Amino acid sequence: MKTFPMFLKLENRTVVIAGGGEQAMQKCRLMLKTPARIVVLAEALEPELAGLVEDGRVLWHKGPITVSSFEQVALAFIATGCPGTDAALHALAEVAGALVNVVDQPDLCDAITPSIVDRSPVVVAIGTEGTAPVLARQIKTRLEDILEPRLGDLAALAGRLRGAAAARLQPRQRRDLWRWVFGDQPRTLFRQGQERDAAKLIKTAIEQAEIPAAAPTPVALVGAGAGSADLITLRGVQRLQEADIIFYDRLTDPGLLELARRDAERVFVGKTPGCADWPQDRINARLVAAAKSGQRVVRLKCGDPGIFARGAEEAAVLAEAGIACEMVPGVTAASVAAASAGGFLTERGTTNSLVLTTATNADGQLNQSLKAHLSPGTSMAIYMGVGKAAEIEEAVRATPWAGDVSARITESAGTANERHVTCKGLDLAATIAAHEISAPAIIHLVLPKRQAAIMPLPQTKTG
């Protein structure tokens, strides 16, 4: 991020616009949405600008432009339409220490004007650091459709009621209140033009200290998806944004934590292979303690919390403590590995059965069901199998169709370090060793369905 997005307070502050043509007018239209004192520096003005000066909405300075013209201003726009003149004025503004935007010259800009979705006081600014303004406008168009026209009025009402809510509601209740206001009936009523009914509902909820919407479940086991942060579901993002505390694993994309509230506590629970800093019983105890303290908890797990992620153990501990738990599914590593390799976990007529399995039992021994599950027409995704590659290969070798088994090993599925290696099932261990593949990795074995032999029709004897 080369530019930092920030909103400037412009009340009782001056914004200078150098230029009197259409470019200057465009910037003037933008600044008229703010309470800033607008001063236009130009020898002559185009008709619309002249009309604004005549109406007293804009001040006009007709004389020479000097360094002092840019002193003590909140923001300066340079928009004469002449690149040479713009560069010269930029030099004056720079000497004055002004924050400058030069139209169509991003290299001379201290501040870049974003594309804006205006639902005041809700304002969304979209920037591309001057590289792709067309893309910014496309995103703006999408957001204009998503954010209803009256959303700003609802936000303004919420702002007026924040004091009353703070006086009558506890912090947790206040979060539940605003979650209900912006995600439930009040927002629907505002969207339908029933502002008075919406305001009455909100005021009643504050006065009675009762939030109509049911509060979310105290603990959510959220699947982060495997690898890239954009594989998380919309519900998963929502739970992250609601959380007071987030317990996350080693393989979780750090970008996901940016989706959480800034004041949410983040606890790294590690679970690095071979290390015991965060054994499962310690994680369980922290989940229970956080929930009992009144915090809204997210347990963020790589992949899907219901697939080889020990989610069932955590849910059982929470249930025993009388704590409600919600599971939010995620995209599991087997799906990500297959998709990123351009393949499929099943194919009609070839692999009609899908087996998701782990290579190791709880006692550390090889999962003996591997051999039993490996039959014609089967696609088998093996989790945590790199360390058991030789034993998996032996299990393949022990089947009657060992030579027909193919393998694809995907290391670090969905990440920038992802690798795919293919081999015969009988060459699994040697291939993993030769390519120095390490965990996390998915081993995908495929044994295609055999076509039944076509038997010749019996010959009819004629006599």
Side-chain angles (χ1 to χ4, degrees):
M1 187 167 61
K2 295 180 180 179
T3 58
F4 184 75
M6 181 175 288
F7 291 93
L8 299 176
K9 286 187 175 181
L10 294 179
E11 192 169 6
N12 299 320
R13 302 184 74 186
T14 299
V15 171
V16 165
I17 301 174
E22 176 56 29
Q23 282 189 345
M25 186 61 231
Q26 290 172 4
K27 298 303 180 184
C28 194
R29 292 189 196 106
L30 185 62
M31 288 297 103
L32 283 170
K33 295 175 179 290
T34 77
R37 175 177 176 265
I38 302 171
V39 178
V40 175
L41 312 176
E43 286 296 323
L45 302 178
E46 60 94 57
E48 188 176 354
L49 264 176
L52 292 173
V53 171
E54 187 176 341
D55 292 342
R57 299 179 66 190
V58 170
L59 299 177
W60 181 22
H61 176 77
K62 191 177 180 181
I65 301 176
T66 65
V67 171
S68 62
S69 303
F70 297 101
E71 290 178 341
Q72 297 183 345
V73 301
L75 184 62
F77 290 101
I78 297 177
T80 68
C82 171
T85 302
D86 284 351
L89 294 178
H90 169 266
L92 296 177
E94 197 172 42
V95 171
L99 190 65
V100 186
N101 174 275
V102 182
V103 175
D104 293 335
Q105 296 196 57
D107 291 342
L108 297 180
C109 291
D110 302 311
I112 298 174
T113 307
S115 289
I116 295 173
V117 179
D118 186 5
R119 302 287 188 272
S120 296
V122 178
V123 179
V124 181
I126 306 111
T128 61
E129 298 183 346
T131 61
V134 172
L135 175 60
R137 287 195 292 272
Q138 289 175 349
I139 297 171
K140 166 184 164 66
T141 300
R142 293 284 298 275
L143 290 175
E144 291 282 7
D145 291 336
I146 294 170
L147 304 179
E148 62 269 23
R150 301 302 307 278
L151 183 60
D153 294 331
L154 177 59
L157 173 63
R160 294 192 295 272
L161 295 176
R162 286 181 69 85
R168 300 187 66 88
L169 303 177
Q170 296 299 316
R172 173 74 171 269
Q173 288 178 302
R174 292 200 295 272
R175 285 197 295 272
D176 289 341
L177 170 72
W178 302 125
R179 188 177 296 113
W180 168 68
V181 166
F182 294 113
D184 209 300
Q185 192 176 7
R187 184 168 178 176
T188 300
L189 289 173
F190 246 85
R191 188 183 293 118
Q192 296 171 346
Q194 302 176 55
E195 294 90 346
R196 290 184 180 179
D197 292 338
K200 184 177 180 180
L201 269 180
I202 300 168
K203 291 176 182 177
T204 300
I206 294 172
E207 291 168 3
Q208 298 179 356
E210 294 180 0
I211 313 305
T217 306
V219 179
L221 306 181
V222 176
S228 178
D230 59 4
L231 289 175
I232 194 171
T233 64
L234 292 175
R235 184 180 297 181
V237 172
Q238 184 179 16
R239 294 298 177 264
L240 278 177
Q241 293 172 344
E242 294 168 349
D244 301 310
I245 184 168
I246 300 162
F247 296 89
Y248 66 99
D249 286 338
R250 175 179 63 94
L251 298 177
T252 302
D253 187 324
L256 282 171
L257 299 177
E258 297 297 322
L259 301 175
R261 296 198 336 259
R262 280 181 295 177
D263 60 339
E265 184 180 355
R266 295 152 172 82
V267 181
F268 174 63
V269 296
K271 295 187 76 64
T272 302
C275 299
D277 291 346
W278 277 93
Q280 190 62 50
D281 57 353
R282 184 183 176 195
I283 296 172
N284 295 344
R286 285 294 304 272
L287 293 175
V288 171
K292 284 188 172 181
S293 71
Q295 292 179 294
R296 187 160 289 123
V297 181
V298 160
R299 174 70 172 98
L300 188 62
K301 291 176 168 289
C302 181
D304 185 293
I307 300 177
F308 306 122
R310 306 188 77 167
E313 297 175 39
E314 293 170 354
V317 169
L318 291 165
E320 187 177 346
I323 298 168
C325 174
E326 174 192 17
M327 191 173 85
V328 180
V331 182
T332 190
S335 297
V336 175
S340 60
F344 300 89
L345 289 173
T346 64
E347 293 184 53
R348 189 172 67 161
T350 302
T351 49
N352 296 326
S353 297
L354 173 63
V355 176
L356 303 182
T357 185
T358 179
T360 309
N361 292 325
D363 60 5
Q365 300 301 309
L366 180 72
N367 182 356
Q368 294 299 320
S369 66
L370 288 173
K371 179 181 174 182
H373 289 310
L374 195 57
S375 58
T378 299
S379 172
M380 179 182 292
I382 304 174
Y383 291 68
M384 297 166 283
V386 170
K388 295 285 186 182
E391 295 175 72
I392 294 170
E393 182 180 311
E394 286 303 313
V396 172
R397 196 178 302 277
T399 66
W401 31 75
D404 296 330
V405 177
S406 62
R408 180 178 63 238
I409 309 104
T410 302
E411 180 183 58
S412 301
T415 73
N417 299 320
E418 179 182 276
R419 285 197 297 161
H420 301 280
V421 178
T422 59
C423 64
K424 288 286 188 180
L426 294 177
D427 300 325
L428 184 63
T431 301
I432 287 176
H435 290 272
E436 298 181 344
I437 293 171
S438 59
I442 287 284
I443 298 173
H444 183 202
L445 301 181
V446 176
L447 178 55
K449 187 176 181 180
R450 292 184 169 185
Q451 297 295 324
I454 300 176
M455 302 297 293
L457 291 173
Q459 302 237 347
T460 306
K461 291 185 179 181
T462 58

